[in-house]
Structures are given as C-alpha cells and as structure tokens.
Amino acid sequence: CWRLPDPEPLMHGAVQSPQYPEPYSPNLQEQWDLSVPEGYQIRLTFTHLDIEASAGCYYDVLTVLYDAKILGKFCGHENSADGHHPGNEPILSPGNRLTLTFQTDGNNPERHQNVGFSAQYQAIDMDECSAPEPEDGSGPLCSQICLNTLGSYLCSCHHGYELRPDQRSCVLSCGGGIFDEPEGHLFSPGYPNPPPHAVSCQYIISVESGFTVTLNFTDNFHIDSADTEQGPICLHHWLQVTIPDNEPMKLCGGKSPGLIVTNSNTVRLDYHIDDEGLSNGWSLDYSTYRVKCPFPGNVAKGRVTPILTEYLYRDYISARCDQGYKLMMDGQEVEGFSTMCQSNGQWHLPLPECHIIDCGEPEPLLNGGVTFMSGFQNQYRSVVQYHCNEPFYSLLGGINVVFTCESDRKWRSNNDIIFRPTCIPVCGKPTQLISTYQR
Amino acid sequence: IIGGSDAPDDTIPWQVMLSIDGGRGGGMVIGDRWIMTAAHNVMHDGNVVPNETVRIYMGLTNVNTLMNSPVYAASIHTHPLYNNPNLVDFNHDIALIKIQDPITFNSSVMPICLPAEGATYVTGTMGLVSGFGVTETDKRRILTNKMKYVQVPVVEQQACSDSITLLKKKKVLVPILTNNMFCAGVPEGGKDSCQGDSGGPYALRDDGRFWAAGIVSWGFDCGQRGTYGVYTRVINYIDWINKTMQEN
C-alpha cells in the first residue's frame, strides 16, 4: 500500500448532520475537519440548526473548533429559549481549517423534531496585510508596502529602496549595475544624505571598445575618513575606482576627486560604508570619448588625406602617391590604401611607401638599339632614343624618335605619328666601293 | 665574267651564288627574305626545281673559303609568262626565291635597290655586272672561284637588235630580243658576263645608290666581238615583284 496524495483543499463545501433532514440518532460522535488552501479563511454559515436545546448545550451539542480553540458551541433552534443558536452570522476561522464535532446523548425527547444541522462553508481570502502584527515580535509582514493577493501577499518598497532577499524588508537602493550608455549620472544611496544603514554597491561603466570613460565628480563629496599627515585614509568607508591594468584607487575624505580620465572603456566603482561613521556620499557625471590615434605621418612622394587636427576611433585615412609613383606595402604594389584608427588607439595598418614607377625595358628594336638619354633604370620620365644598325639599316621615315616613360608606365613617343620605330634595310650602298685608279 | 676583275670584299654585297643540282648560277638580294634571279636558273625541263635543290650562298667573294652554311629556298616564284622549253625564249626571264629565315644585313650581305619609278636605261651608262661564272685567263675559259665584276655600258636597243639579226643569218635558232630585255657590253668584245653568271645583277648607280637594272639572262658565247650580253629589264617587272613579295 502507498499513501494516497492529500486531496486538494476545497474552496467551498457543505456539512450536515447524519441522516439530515431526518432526525439524528442518539449516541452520536461525529467530526468534520474542514480545510481550504493556505492564505484563506473558512467562513461557515448555518442554513439550518435544530439540535436538542439544553443549558450550555449539555446534552446534544455541535462544537466549532479552530485547532484546540472552541469558537462556538451550538444547540437548540431559532426560537428556542435554551441553547445557543448561531443565527445568520457566519463563523470566520482564524486560519484555513475548522473542525466540527457533533455529539448526541442517549435520549432525544423531541426526537421527531431535532433534525440536526446543515451548513455551507467557503474559502475567504485572508488579508494578511490587515492582520495585526504577530505576537512573536517579528514585526509587520512588510517593512514598507504590503499588497494582498488571492491566497497570499507581496511586499514592495518605495522608490529608491529595494527588497532584500527576505522579501519583506526594504533597504536603500544602490542604483548600481552596468552602465553602457555614452554618458550618465551616478550617485551613492541617499545622496546627498547619509544612508541609514551600511551599504555595499557596485557600479560598472562599460562602453564599446574604442571609447574612453571620463568621470567628473561633483564638488559635494564626503566619505568618512581618518585624516593623517599623508592625507585621508579610507578605513571603513570608501569609494574604490578600478581601471583595468591599473592599481585600484580608494577615494574618501571631503575633497572631490574632480575629473578622472580613465583612458579605458571600462571602470568599476565599489562604494562601501559600514554602520560606523557617517558618509554623505558622492555623485558624478560620466562621459565617453572616442579613442585618439597618433598623427599618421607623411608619405614621401605622396599624400595622406584627410588632414585633421586629431584622429579618433573609426576615422579613416587614405594615402595616394604623386604622379609617377606607386603605392608599396611590404614590398608589394597595392592599388589603393586606407587605414582605420582602431579601438586600441593604433592605426590598423602602417602607412605605405611611394616608389617611383618604371616602364620596364623599352621594346627592343630589330636591327637597331636603344640609347638612354636621361633617367635611371627605366624609371618615370626616363628618355630613350632608338637607332638602327647603320649603315645597313635606317629608321623608317628617317625621324629620330625619343620615347619617355610616362605615368601610365608606357614608353610614349614624342611624335604623334610614329608609335613604334622600325629599322628598314639600306639598299644599294655597299660599305666598300670598287676603286680603280689606273686608267 | 669575261674581262673583269676580282671583286673586293663588301663591294658587291648583294651578289649571291646559287648552287642548283650541281650547276652554278647567280642571284641578288633584294629583301631580307628575297633573292631575285633568272627564271631559267630554277627551271628544269619546264618545271620549277624542288626547293631543297636550291642552295644559296651569300656574303662570300671566294668559293674556296666557303665557311657558312647555305640558305635554302622556302618557295620559288617564276614569272608566270616565262615559257622556255627549248631554251630559246628568254622573255620574262625572272624569278624570285623566298628564303626561310630573314637575313640580318651586314657589310658583306646587303640588298640592292629595285628600280625607282621612272628610272631609265640610258645608253652608254656604265653598269656593274658580277658573278661566279666562267672567266677567261690566258685565253682559257675557266670557272672562277672568286667573285668577279666587270663594268659594261648599256647598249642602244636597236644596236643590240641589229647584232642579233646578224647572228640569225648564221645560226638556226636565235633567241628573240624583246622589250623586256636590254643589252650591255662593248662592240669590240672582251667584257661580258658568261655561263655561271646567269641570274646575277646588272647594277646601275644613281646618286651613289646601286639599283638592279638587269638580270644576267643570255647571250652568244661570251665576250665576242660584235655581241652583247642580254639582260632582263627589271623595271618592267616591278609590279610583279612587289605583288609576289606581298602575297607571300
């Protein structure tokens, strides 16, 4: 056998004496245990009661109990002189249970008339908030606001306070948490007044990487401290400012720290005061600024744009070369260049270099050659002149054409007509002539 | 070449020697891939000789010092009107040989110019004919190993025609002199081209530049009195020469 689960408490019901509406039997000992859900009371209303009347309900009696406490003993009927009739007034249990006992003796003189009783009961929500304070001295249910709900109640707090884990007491709200807005205002609990109790609050300002936080404390700053020759010492009360990669700073005393530039996108403030001493607290405004990158510098034979007085996070710059020069990065030519100021205050890429372009070797001339007139290593603005292997070949057209290495990396002729020189053979002109002197 | 002299090096750089099936002939460079010669040099029994039988030597004046390899023909183009089955009709005796690889000219190999438009063959003008053909030494005819040249004047066409008419009376078969030919030589004989010189150049000089006026074609014997050498009149074939070179 295993235990059956307890039945769900009913929200309402009915109780009546055995054999009702027929007269009840003698020597009865009946009991009914009524129960409703927690947070409810039982309201018991008798629809009919007709039990043998006697003084003090000595013979037959219906007893209503709350635990061991007798709420009422009833017998008789509406018009009986003896007995105690509950009338039309309902009986309200202090809690969610009620016990009814019905006892009859062995003698029912008016047996044919005493039919017993019939009663209805229902669950009534208990207004815990209106109940008197418990006698155990634990105090009111809620320290500030009590809200009755069906079958239960809730505690709440005024603005500026928050509910403690016990769900009934309210303490001053820290106003702490994580702040990720670009700017904001923070202050200690109760500021500019001291809080009534010890507090331990944490404020975290955390913004997007690439931005730095600046704290600006107001002048009204007071955190209890012990004054020494070296300055105030924060023994029991302090505001600790922690910036990553830096030693935490403990602030106290009566002098405002003023402006603190953190150079960080994250700052944590821990405010701690105990019940000793008195601190009125602090308030600050914080703002964020884009991280700054160093001046990018210049590119020889080129230029960097745009030219700004300062370069901030997410700013882009581009580099271009002067005509006749090409962009080079790590020994490789690149078509274009831009770099961004990163969140760490460094440029994404270093500046490139501008190297002079070259046109490559000029195209060889069949049966001829190329002479460099000026310039160096086929570089921009170098000038070459073609010639033919005379006297066996000569330039077509007989025009000496020079070619210049232009910015498009092509050798371009100075002659609009001739694009490519050609050597053509010279005919009929031997290098030696038959010479005869004898006549 | 009868009555001539050895050609010094680099004086006649357009002269080539053809060796075709053991026979010797002449030719001249007219372009970096073209040799001009006589059609009868490259014909045998009425057919053009195979390309591989034509060996072309350039840049030499002494056959004995032949050091370079011959150049071979890539294609042979005879004048379409040349028809000489019995070797008595030398009309249109002109041919072009295309060689496989282009020539790089130097002092020993250079082209001769083609006739300019309006060029004239003035009677008495001295021309330069050259070749590796038969020469005469001590009244003996020998095949020279050295390039020779001789300067002979252009002969008046009628005078040349008359000399041939005279021969007709003595010979059975006499080639016909046409206007596509001209004569050069001296009436007293002793200076002429000869066998082995066929296809070679007869060059005239204008303003210091030599041009190909004629191609050694035919004649009666060599250097005889009252006879002249007969040459293909190149100026009549300029159109055909240009067309052939362009089409190929």
Side-chain angles (χ1 to χ4, degrees):
Chain A
C1 297
W2 54 80
R3 188 182 172 78
L4 290 172
D6 290 336
E8 287 288 323
L10 299 175
M11 294 296 287
H12 60 86
V15 180
Q16 55 193 32
S17 54
Q19 297 158 15
Y20 181 87
E22 294 297 319
Y24 54 81
S25 303
N27 297 313
L28 282 177
Q29 184 78 28
E30 297 288 332
Q31 179 170 318
W32 298 266
D33 293 310
L34 310 180
S35 99
V36 292
E38 282 285 342
Y40 290 83
Q41 296 169 299
I42 298 176
R43 183 167 69 186
L44 184 69
T45 308
F46 286 97
T47 55
H48 185 67
L49 189 135
D50 182 11
I51 299 172
E52 180 188 353
S54 61
C57 299
Y58 182 77
Y59 296 115
D60 296 346
V61 62
L62 173 68
T63 308
V64 177
L65 303 103
Y66 175 70
D67 292 336
K69 183 178 175 189
I70 296 174
L71 300 181
K73 280 187 169 182
F74 305 102
C75 59
H77 54 84
E78 281 180 344
N79 298 317
S80 62
D82 295 324
H84 181 214
H85 192 272
N88 295 325
E89 286 297 312
I91 297 168
L92 198 62
S93 67
N96 67 329
R97 54 196 177 278
L98 214 57
T99 301
L100 278 68
T101 61
F102 184 46
Q103 285 176 299
T104 64
D105 63 6
N107 183 23
N108 289 333
E110 297 177 356
R111 184 170 178 269
H112 63 282
Q113 293 178 352
N114 300 120
V115 296
F117 69 90
S118 171
Q120 304 280 334
Y121 73 91
Q122 65 186 124
I124 302 294
D125 174 55
M126 201 184 298
D127 185 0
E128 295 88 342
C129 296
S130 302
E133 284 187 24
E135 292 170 357
D136 58 6
S138 59
L141 279 180
C142 301
S143 65
Q144 290 189 358
I145 301 171
C146 184
L147 302 167
N148 187 33
T149 63
L150 276 180
S152 187
Y153 67 98
L154 289 172
C155 294
S156 180
C157 301
H158 296 302
H159 177 70
Y161 289 80
E162 57 189 22
L163 205 59
R164 289 173 89 174
D166 64 3
Q167 297 299 306
R168 54 186 290 252
S169 359
C170 294
V171 293
L172 264 176
S173 175
C174 273
I178 297 177
F179 300 84
D180 58 6
E181 295 293 319
E183 55 192 23
H185 180 74
L186 307 179
F187 52 91
S188 55
Y191 180 84
N193 299 314
H197 46 74
V199 294
S200 189
C201 301
Q202 186 176 79
Y203 311 77
I204 297 176
I205 303 171
S206 180
V207 295
E208 180 190 339
S209 182
F211 292 84
T212 61
V213 177
T214 297
L215 309 175
N216 192 5
F217 285 89
T218 58
D219 291 338
N220 190 359
F221 179 92
H222 176 257
I223 299 178
D224 195 62
S225 63
D227 292 324
T228 66
E229 285 181 356
Q230 289 78 33
I233 295 179
C234 312
L235 284 176
H236 304 288
H237 297 200
W238 62 76
L239 173 65
Q240 180 166 288
V241 178
T242 306
I243 302 167
D245 302 324
N246 284 277
E247 284 295 316
M249 284 188 292
K250 266 191 181 174
L251 304 174
C252 59
K255 186 166 184 274
S256 168
L259 197 71
I260 298 178
V261 177
T262 68
N263 292 319
S264 170
N265 67 320
T266 303
V267 181
R268 193 180 82 218
L269 297 108
D270 294 287
Y271 183 54
H272 174 83
I273 62 171
D274 60 13
D275 289 322
E276 301 290 328
L278 204 67
S279 293
N280 293 337
W282 52 269
S283 79
L284 63 86
D285 293 300
Y286 80 86
S287 50
T288 57
Y289 301 92
R290 285 195 288 163
V291 163
K292 205 183 285 192
C293 276
F295 184 71
N298 296 315
V299 176
K301 296 296 181 185
R303 53 200 152 115
V304 175
T305 55
I307 299 172
L308 303 173
T309 51
E310 60 179 6
Y311 295 89
L312 304 174
Y313 171 56
R314 287 203 186 131
D315 282 343
Y316 279 87
I317 55 171
S318 301
R320 290 194 309 173
C321 292
D322 295 341
Q323 190 176 53
Y325 291 82
K326 58 187 176 183
L327 281 170
M328 298 291 288
M329 284 277 299
D330 297 326
Q332 299 283 330
E333 186 180 355
V334 292
E335 278 198 33
F337 176 83
S338 66
T339 184
M340 185 189 81
C341 176
Q342 299 178 106
S343 61
N344 61 359
Q346 300 297 319
W347 291 100
H348 164 233
L349 291 172
L351 283 181
E353 294 176 339
C354 287
H355 290 186
I356 194 165
I357 58 108
D358 68 79
C359 295
E361 288 293 325
E363 275 202 42
L365 178 59
L366 185 62
N367 298 314
V370 178
T371 304
F372 272 83
M373 308 298 288
S374 66
F376 179 69
Q377 287 185 337
N378 303 317
Q379 289 174 353
Y380 176 57
R381 295 246 169 101
S382 295
V383 178
V384 300
Q385 186 173 51
Y386 283 92
H387 63 271
C388 293
N389 294 338
E390 293 175 347
F392 315 109
Y393 296 89
S394 64
L395 276 171
L396 180 64
I399 302 171
N400 276 329
V401 181
V402 297
F403 282 75
T404 305
C405 177
E406 297 291 359
S407 58
D408 62 353
R409 306 193 200 190
K410 288 186 183 350
W411 290 101
R412 293 204 178 272
S413 160
N414 65 338
N415 188 301
D416 291 336
I417 299 171
I418 297 175
F419 296 106
R420 288 187 65 167
T422 305
C423 288
I424 56 171
V426 173
C427 67
K429 283 211 161 184
T431 57
Q432 298 291 329
L433 290 174
I434 295 169
S435 53
T436 50
Y437 300 103
Q438 61 87 15
R439 303 201 181 173
Chain B
I1 300 293
I2 305 297
S5 305
D6 292 346
D9 289 342
D10 303 338
T11 54
I12 311 176
W14 46 81
Q15 176 75 53
V16 306
M17 185 179 85
L18 301 181
S19 177
I20 303 173
D21 269 345
R24 186 184 289 190
M28 65 196 94
V29 179
I30 60 169
D32 62 359
R33 270 198 164 114
W34 293 96
I35 307 295
M36 184 162 68
T37 186
H40 76 262
N41 274 353
V42 292
M43 301 287 285
H44 182 69
D45 290 336
N47 298 311
V48 176
V49 298
N51 294 349
E52 58 272 16
T53 65
V54 178
R55 286 179 292 172
I56 307 161
Y57 294 91
M58 291 180 264
L60 63 111
T61 53
N62 190 335
V63 179
N64 288 332
T65 60
L66 196 68
M67 298 299 287
N68 53 342
S69 300
V71 172
Y72 287 91
S75 56
I76 301 170
H77 308 268
T78 56
H79 194 280
L81 296 179
Y82 176 78
N83 183 17
N84 193 11
N86 299 319
L87 292 176
V88 291
D89 184 358
F90 291 90
N91 201 15
H92 312 299
D93 189 13
I94 183 170
L96 295 175
I97 301 172
K98 185 179 180 190
I99 60 176
Q100 290 169 344
D101 299 313
I103 307 164
T104 299
F105 299 126
N106 53 51
S107 57
S108 63
V109 183
M110 286 179 75
I112 187 170
C113 305
L114 289 174
E117 193 176 333
T120 54
Y121 294 68
V122 177
T123 300
T125 308
M126 294 301 282
L128 183 72
V129 63
S130 53
F132 290 87
V134 169
T135 189
E136 192 174 85
T137 303
D138 296 330
K139 295 189 181 175
R140 283 185 297 165
R141 296 283 174 91
I142 58 173
L143 185 64
T144 183
N145 283 326
K146 290 188 181 176
M147 188 204 302
K148 286 190 175 297
Y149 75 93
V150 68
Q151 290 182 309
V152 284
V154 174
V155 172
E156 201 252 336
Q157 196 76 358
Q158 187 59 53
C160 187
S161 177
D162 292 341
S163 71
I164 294 170
T165 303
L166 208 62
L167 282 171
K168 277 183 184 174
K169 294 178 180 175
K170 299 176 185 176
K171 303 274 181 188
V172 176
L173 284 174
V174 176
I176 298 169
L177 181 70
T178 72
N179 286 333
N180 295 320
M181 308 168 190
F182 70 96
C183 301
V186 291
E188 64 274 23
K191 290 187 177 185
D192 201 357
S193 50
C194 200
Q195 275 69 36
D197 293 323
S198 293
Y202 179 90
L204 290 175
R205 190 175 181 205
D206 285 340
D207 294 328
R209 198 185 289 270
F210 289 91
W211 56 280
I215 306 170
V216 177
S217 185
W218 59 279
F220 297 102
D221 207 348
C222 304
Q224 294 301 309
R225 186 163 60 90
T227 66
Y228 302 102
V230 185
Y231 301 84
T232 306
R233 194 185 287 264
V234 175
I235 197 169
N236 289 6
Y237 296 97
I238 287 300
D239 291 342
W240 177 80
I241 293 167
N242 286 327
K243 181 171 176 286
T244 302
M245 289 198 293
Q246 281 170 11
E247 286 178 357
N248 293 277

